[in-house]
Amino acid sequence: MFQAAAKTLSVTTATSVTRGLLLSIRHYCERTPVKLRVSEAFSGAELGAKIKVQGWVHSVRQQKANLFLHVNDGSSLQSLQIVASSELNDRLLTFGSAVEVTGVLRKSPHQKQPVELEADQIHVVGKCNPVDFPFKIKERHSLEYIRQFPHLRCRTNNFSSLLRIRSEATTAIHSYFKENGFVQIHTPVITSNDCEGAGELFQVEPSGPKNDEDENFFSVPAFLTVSGQLHLEVMSGAFSRVYTFGPTFRAENSQSRRHLAEFYMVEAEVSFTQSLEDLTKVMEDVFRSATEHVLAHCAKDVDLFHKHVTPGHRDTVEAMLKKSFPVITYSEAIDILKRSSQKFAFPTDWGCDLQTEHEKYLVKHCGNIPVFVTDYPYDLKPFYARDNQDHPKHTAAAVDLLVPGVGELCGGSLREERLDLLSARLEEAGLKDTYSWYLDLRRFGSVPHGGFGLGFERYLQCILGVDNIKDVIPFPRVSHSCLL
């Protein structure tokens, strides 16, 4: 009997402890706010719960009894409305200040916003003097104006939208290559090779005192890479599909709207191919896949650009996605330019390089959609481009993708895999000793292959309609300007 009583007491005690623990946990959960990003709050999953958001004030409106704030943390174009008692107002609570807000998430009575936060606590984390802050409340600043403040422009709607689009486009490009069997290669930023052969290089040297024994830190001249192509060609001797996505550098003394000293390139190499069609298919698929992803995942951000920055450009983007990209040869392009009534600043004779004005005209001529131009004059292309061996017009198996508003977006070619022809061209250019390793690639298990590079910032210009390339990269680098 005593054992049964003891057992009953034990169970009762355990049950009481469990209930107490559950009540404590429930009480703790009710008191402890759930930390959410603004985009998560808009999902409505935490309606009725006590939450905490952290972000920056985009607007402040004081009424007699209530205070209204709009707070954003960069996770969404739309800001979260905060409703609070006017007693919670603080002289430090200004446009641009950083805040931490706690309260209950409620369904909003207003159609333009699904939820709002009834605040019971507002803490100013970082103050901001709105008089000195270069961006003003409820004012839409131009891209040119905000470009003057590279350390602050991410706080504007235009540029925060751009950065979200840029992030999603990056994700989409990586996803495309992964889904299509490409292996990502981290090609070096510092290299001893000049891939393009144009000499537009930034040389890399240590800032400290030089070692008397070695003239160069690496014992050979080293430069910031202009392209990861040659390193991808190394890898294409062991992998059938490779790609890289990273920064590249060109020491061009240019202040144009299309050039940067530092920019990002998507580059791919495909082995066992003897057809430019294999390359143009990948170029077109990357463009379509990335654009469709961006339109689906950043619809409001893209709409902001198409509505306020480049009105009407959405129609151009949709037209690009509806039709297959046409293909013309360089010779056909020259004939189109020569028949044109437009006066060009640069010559249009066969053998001349296509300039931006030519490229934009060809795009419009083909229906204002992207167009491939193939088989350029052999002498216009670098040593690695495959010789078509056609006569009398000597051409290379090279291709450019021209797009609306920008001109050249992609450039690629089949690579010269024939050892004798490649060796002869390198010797003619005085580069045979420098690129002896490149010839080795053709000696040991070489296969026909080709590849291309896509300028990431130009891609963003194309789909958003942005005129200046400096407005689609976080920190633009151009000649005579290296802010931050």
Side-chain angles (χ1 to χ4, degrees), residues 45-120:
E46 297 292 338
L47 274 176
K50 190 166 188 177
I51 71 165
K52 178 195 290 183
V53 295
Q54 298 164 319
W56 292 266
V57 176
H58 279 218
S59 71
V60 184
R61 183 161 52 94
Q62 174 71 63
Q63 292 184 348
K64 186 175 181 180
N66 294 319
L67 173 68
F68 294 90
L69 304 177
H70 280 92
V71 173
N72 201 310
D73 60 0
S75 63
S76 167
L77 174 61
Q78 188 174 4
S79 298
L80 178 64
Q81 177 164 285
I82 313 294
V83 182
S85 167
S86 58
E87 295 176 356
L88 293 180
N89 199 356
D90 186 316
R91 63 182 179 81
L92 298 179
L93 195 58
T94 62
F95 171 61
S97 60
V99 295
E100 183 176 271
V101 184
T102 304
V104 179
L105 191 65
R106 304 291 189 191
K107 185 176 180 180
S108 176
H110 304 288
Q111 292 182 347
K112 291 185 178 180
Q113 53 197 30
V115 298
E116 62 186 23
L117 181 58
E118 290 184 2
D120 53 46

Side-chain angles (χ1 to χ4, degrees), residues 293-307:
H293 179 96
V294 167
L295 293 178
H297 291 81
C298 293
K300 291 182 179 179
D301 291 307
V302 173
D303 285 346
L304 181 145
F305 274 86
H306 291 167
K307 183 178 180 180

Side-chain angles (χ1 to χ4, degrees), residues 173 177 232 243-246 264-268 286 452-456:
I173 288 169
F177 283 116
L232 286 184
Y243 84 101
T244 190
F245 188 174
Y264 278 71
M265 281 262 282
V266 180
E267 298 180 270
V286 169
F452 68 90
L454 177 152
F456 185 54

Side-chain angles (χ1 to χ4, degrees), residues 31 73 189 215 223 315 357 402 454 464 478:
R31 291 182 58 194
D73 60 0
V189 171
E215 183 179 348
F223 312 94
D315 294 339
E357 60 174 351
L402 313 181
L454 177 152
L464 297 178
V478 295

Side-chain angles (χ1 to χ4, degrees), residues 105-282:
L105 191 65
R106 304 291 189 191
K107 185 176 180 180
S108 176
H110 304 288
Q111 292 182 347
K112 291 185 178 180
Q113 53 197 30
V115 298
E116 62 186 23
L117 181 58
E118 290 184 2
D120 53 46
Q121 287 184 330
I122 301 177
H123 171 57
V124 177
V125 179
K127 62 182 180 180
C128 175
N129 185 339
V131 176
D132 297 331
F133 194 45
F135 310 126
K136 304 307 175 186
I137 192 169
K138 295 184 179 180
E139 187 172 335
R140 190 173 298 280
H141 301 284
S142 69
L143 296 179
E144 290 78 8
Y145 175 78
I146 68 173
R147 197 189 306 147
Q148 302 173 73
F149 310 98
H151 56 305
L152 295 173
R153 65 176 178 168
C154 60
R155 304 278 292 276
T156 66
N157 279 343
N158 282 348
F159 209 71
S160 63
S161 285
L162 179 277
L163 294 176
R164 282 188 293 272
I165 293 168
R166 189 181 172 102
S167 177
E168 283 295 340
T170 300
T171 298
I173 288 169
H174 282 299
S175 295
Y176 169 83
F177 283 116
K178 183 177 181 180
E179 291 167 5
N180 287 275
F182 284 79
V183 175
Q184 183 182 7
I185 304 297
H186 293 134
T187 54
V189 171
I190 299 175
T191 178
S192 58
N193 299 306
D194 176 8
C195 177
E196 298 295 323
E200 297 163 338
L201 300 166
F202 288 104
Q203 188 158 357
V204 176
E205 295 180 347
S207 60
K210 290 186 177 181
N211 189 328
D212 293 337
E213 296 179 3
D214 294 316
E215 183 179 348
N216 298 104
F217 181 85
F218 295 102
S219 298
V220 294
F223 312 94
L224 295 178
T225 184
V226 298
S227 169
Q229 178 205 314
L230 298 185
H231 297 94
L232 286 184
E233 284 201 63
V234 170
M235 298 301 172
S236 69
F239 299 90
S240 59
R241 290 186 162 203
V242 292
Y243 84 101
T244 190
F245 188 174
T248 51
F249 307 84
R250 304 281 170 89
E252 291 180 301
N253 189 11
S254 171
Q255 292 290 334
S256 82
R257 296 171 179 265
R258 300 171 64 249
H259 295 94
L260 292 165
E262 177 184 357
F263 56 97
Y264 278 71
M265 281 262 282
V266 180
E267 298 180 270
E269 204 74 20
V270 180
S271 298
F272 299 99
T273 180
Q274 292 179 288
S275 170
L276 280 177
E277 290 182 11
D278 292 339
L279 301 184
T280 58
K281 183 180 187 309
V282 177

